Amino acid sequence: MTDFDVFLCHNSEDKAAISEIAEKLEMRGIRPWLDVRELRPGLPWQRSLEGQITNIASAAVFIGSSGVGPWQKLELEAFLLQFVKQQRPVIPVLLHDAPSQVEFPVFLRGMTWVDFRESEPDALERLIWGITGARTDTSEGYKPSVSGYGLRPALLHEVFRTTGLPDFTYIEPSIYRDVESDILQPGKHVLITGPSGCGKTCLLTKILNSLAMEENHDYTFISSLDDDGEEQVEQALSRALEGGLNHLIIVDDFHVLSQETKRRLGSKLKQLSDRIFRNLNGVGKFVLLGVATSAQSLLQNATDLSRRMGIYNMPLPRPSDLSSLIERGERKLTIEFSNRESIVDEASRSFFLCQYLCRNICRDSHVTETQDSLVTLNYRIEEVRGQLILQLSEQFHRPLVSFVQSAGPSRDHWLPYLAMVASMSAIPRSQFSLADIASIAGDVAIAIRSAKDEIAAAMESANLDKFLYYDTTTELISIEDPILRYYLNFLDFGGLIELLGIRDEAAISLYTIFEEASKYYFSDDKKPGSLQKRTEVFISYSHKDREWLERLRVYLKPVTRNRLLTLWVDTQIKAGQKWREEIVKAIAHAEVAVLLVSADFLASDFIAENELPPLLEAAEEEGLKIIWVPVTYSLYEETPIAKYQAALDASKPLESLSGTELSRAMLKLAKTILNSSRVA
């Protein structure tokens, strides 16, 4: 399957006309390869083009008023000759201002051309015919598609894909260009984090393809899930350190590696980076893919590595991104969904789930390939959901039951694991800590904590380790299959209790946990994406900086007095309350998190282990706003905080200010917090 339908070869003087034609082709579902979009400035274009030949189905050579274009150059002419040799169409195209007499290169003289200087036949329709092989002009009795959408036939699984890189519906995330730049920068490693199915591998594959990189020549790919994955990583690291491996080493599912291998990687990657100053021929560099805690587990062993590594968390797609994905699929299949917004809402900010839903709706409507004319697909999203949950029950129900029963022979043993399943269903995230689960498990929380060392083994025995990952060090659970996350959103927990024969007080207790957790995390309709409202401002600070907290509260007093703004600080935890659970609840309610960053703040193990991880995770996954304040000079740039914008000039922390300058800074901070909340 090719990535592009046509390569647009042209003189740079004709760029405006070619861009217009490219837009018209895209409106017809045809994907053009245009240099201004696909070639990164500063890179040799020959290698990029050569690497793309197998990914482009045809070529169009345009000639305008400026005459023949850069294909006169030997390199580009040789490139076009490869199309000819591979029997892929090469179409000469005369633009509307082309000279009356045009001399084509020898290998193009026998080709039928497209002439935009003539009104009949329609030049655009003839160009599309040349690209797709499908006649669309009406001059000889051929009827075009009613929709005017995609003309090149495509199969459903090529358009809406749930595995691999989508051919037609890939949406670039906002971090695309930054990741690409870091991959090209010698000596700089890259770490991309996010839940399974969020697009990490697709992002990397797209970049590698666009840079014409070839496996085993330009990069080595290692899956940590392979039986010998750990050994492959160790060998690759050793070879890179010895100078025998000088290209990219990609490690997928980095988080499942042993702590010892992670520790060694963390300690040796800086050493590899520093070698770039002594080896002009390049050194091996690593690209790591893993879950949200990957950065934490790597950098805790090498705090000075962050400057030599680009660290990225895959951003959640916006509703407009999901809508664009659906629209591209509609054009390619010549269909339209009767209610596109319902799919966007149901997908709950997941590209994977959006592809999955679209594919199933098409399949249920018997759409398996591009339609001859526009077809409207009518459906009720509730019915689609019901059918999917029924199908997914066959996949996930038995492993969940086995997970519960692996706890022991009696129903008493099952209770903490059932409470765990109930809590996982209620927490609308793909990564969460054991503390999250325990905080809403009521009286069963102690039993859950007691079982923490057996959780990983229970998952493995129930074959749930294919879908869930439990990090015994950080006590963080990651849902590795986004479809399991979707299934848990609508789990019939009452039916599960009944199936297992749990009755009387135990059943009431478990069902209460499930119901209360659902109320706490979801709105009334329990729809994914419609989470509880965040209304509070969570302030994270070191107790050694208490004076700065109190000064901030003074500036915010006018709006907290009349309850326009609600602050939460740890001093509100009452004696006898479980502090960890109270912090988890407060973060779940927070709309804005204010970090008073100082040397003492960064030195606090409590903040680093209990406050920062869930705050940064909520910022990435649920839209929590992070406002960090430079209180003292510190090494903040060596931490994940550096990726967020400081509320004040980081080179002038509060401790360096006095008098009027300090008052102005505090007022600016108070206004920033107020404007970031819903009351603004």
Side-chain angles (χ1 to χ4, degrees), residues 216-490:
N216 300 323
H217 181 271
D218 300 296
Y219 67 89
T220 296
F221 183 89
I222 301 171
S223 172
S224 302
L225 296 175
D226 288 346
D227 292 339
D228 61 343
E230 191 106 15
E231 182 181 351
Q232 289 185 58
V233 173
E234 290 281 3
Q235 290 177 352
L237 180 60
S238 297
R239 287 184 60 198
L241 290 169
E242 294 166 359
L245 199 58
N246 297 328
H247 58 219
L248 288 180
I249 300 111
I250 300 169
V251 181
D252 199 7
D253 293 303
F254 160 78
H255 55 279
V256 306
L257 296 175
S258 67
Q259 292 300 318
E260 176 57 27
T261 299
K262 292 178 188 176
R263 185 202 63 75
R264 185 163 182 256
L265 265 176
S267 64
K268 297 299 182 182
L269 290 186
K270 176 181 177 293
Q271 182 179 336
L272 274 177
S273 292
D274 291 344
R275 287 187 178 183
I276 196 64
F277 299 105
R278 307 191 302 271
N279 187 346
L280 298 180
N281 294 323
V283 297
K285 56 179 284 182
F286 278 75
V287 178
L288 309 176
L289 310 178
V291 298
T293 55
S294 297
Q296 179 183 346
S297 62
L298 183 69
L299 296 179
Q300 69 182 3
N301 297 311
T303 55
D304 56 349
L305 179 61
S306 58
R307 286 188 178 183
R308 298 165 177 84
M309 170 172 276
I311 301 175
Y312 300 93
N313 192 288
M314 283 294 294
L316 290 174
R318 301 164 298 180
S320 59
D321 293 329
L322 298 177
S323 186
S324 295
L325 183 158
I326 297 170
E327 183 180 1
R328 291 185 183 185
E330 288 176 324
R331 287 182 174 178
K332 196 62 191 175
L333 291 172
T334 321
I335 62 172
E336 63 177 5
F337 294 100
S338 60
N339 188 355
R340 186 189 301 171
E341 291 73 20
S342 67
I343 302 176
V344 172
D345 290 342
E346 190 74 10
S348 190
R349 302 188 71 184
S350 166
F351 279 134
F352 180 93
L353 191 51
C354 187
Q355 297 269 10
Y356 188 86
L357 290 166
C358 289
R359 188 194 67 180
N360 278 271
I361 292 171
C362 288
R363 191 171 56 192
D364 291 344
S365 301
H366 306 292
V367 172
T368 58
E369 61 183 352
T370 301
Q371 303 297 287
D372 294 331
S373 59
L374 182 63
V375 174
T376 300
L377 306 187
N378 296 301
Y379 59 92
R380 292 182 66 251
I381 199 65
E382 295 81 7
E383 293 179 358
V384 174
R385 180 194 306 153
Q387 293 173 4
L388 288 180
I389 295 301
L390 188 61
Q391 295 170 14
L392 295 175
S393 294
E394 299 178 3
Q395 179 179 0
F396 295 121
H397 183 75
R398 174 46 55 189
L400 286 174
V401 170
S402 298
F403 172 66
V404 171
Q405 293 177 331
S406 67
S410 72
R411 291 179 176 83
D412 290 338
H413 291 100
W414 301 349
L415 293 181
Y417 281 55
L418 269 170
M420 202 177 302
V421 172
S423 303
M424 286 166 54
S425 175
I427 298 176
R429 299 198 297 267
S430 293
Q431 292 104 17
F432 37 85
S433 68
L434 203 60
D436 289 332
I437 296 176
S439 69
I440 53 177
D443 296 336
V444 191
I446 296 176
I448 289 178
R449 293 194 184 95
S450 299
K452 66 180 183 179
D453 293 333
E454 285 80 43
I455 292 174
M459 288 180 179
E460 183 177 2
S461 67
N463 288 325
L464 266 182
D465 57 331
K466 300 176 182 177
F467 315 114
L468 291 170
Y469 170 70
Y470 176 62
D471 190 320
T472 55
T473 302
T474 61
E475 296 184 0
L476 187 120
I477 296 175
S478 300
I479 296 179
E480 288 292 278
D481 189 331
I483 293 301
L484 174 59
R485 172 68 273 162
Y486 182 73
Y487 175 71
L488 288 172
N489 287 341
F490 303 100

Side-chain angles (χ1 to χ4, degrees), residues 535-552:
T535 57
E536 296 181 350
V537 175
F538 182 101
I539 301 181
S540 179
Y541 70 105
S542 165
H543 284 202
K544 294 181 180 180
D545 298 320
R546 181 69 177 268
E547 63 176 297
W548 292 106
L549 168 67
E550 296 305 326
R551 185 170 296 192
L552 176 60

Side-chain angles (χ1 to χ4, degrees), residues 14-28:
D14 300 318
K15 186 70 68 181
I18 302 306
S19 295
E20 182 179 347
I21 290 174
E23 290 179 3
K24 290 180 179 179
L25 291 174
E26 287 179 324
M27 290 179 65
R28 303 290 289 271

Side-chain angles (χ1 to χ4, degrees), residues 537 539 548-553 555-556 559 565 567 592-597 626-631 645-649 653-654 657 661-677:
V537 175
I539 301 181
W548 292 106
L549 168 67
E550 296 305 326
R551 185 170 296 192
L552 176 60
R553 295 175 82 164
Y555 276 83
L556 289 172
V559 288
L565 203 67
L567 302 183
V592 178
V594 178
L595 315 182
L596 301 183
V597 178
I626 297 289
I627 297 174
W628 75 272
V629 186
V631 174
Q645 181 67 43
L648 304 172
D649 186 350
L654 293 177
L657 307 179
E661 191 175 12
L662 177 59
S663 296
R664 287 175 179 168
M666 294 301 298
L667 179 60
K668 178 182 178 182
L669 173 58
K671 288 183 176 180
T672 299
I673 295 171
L674 183 60
N675 291 335
S676 297
S677 68

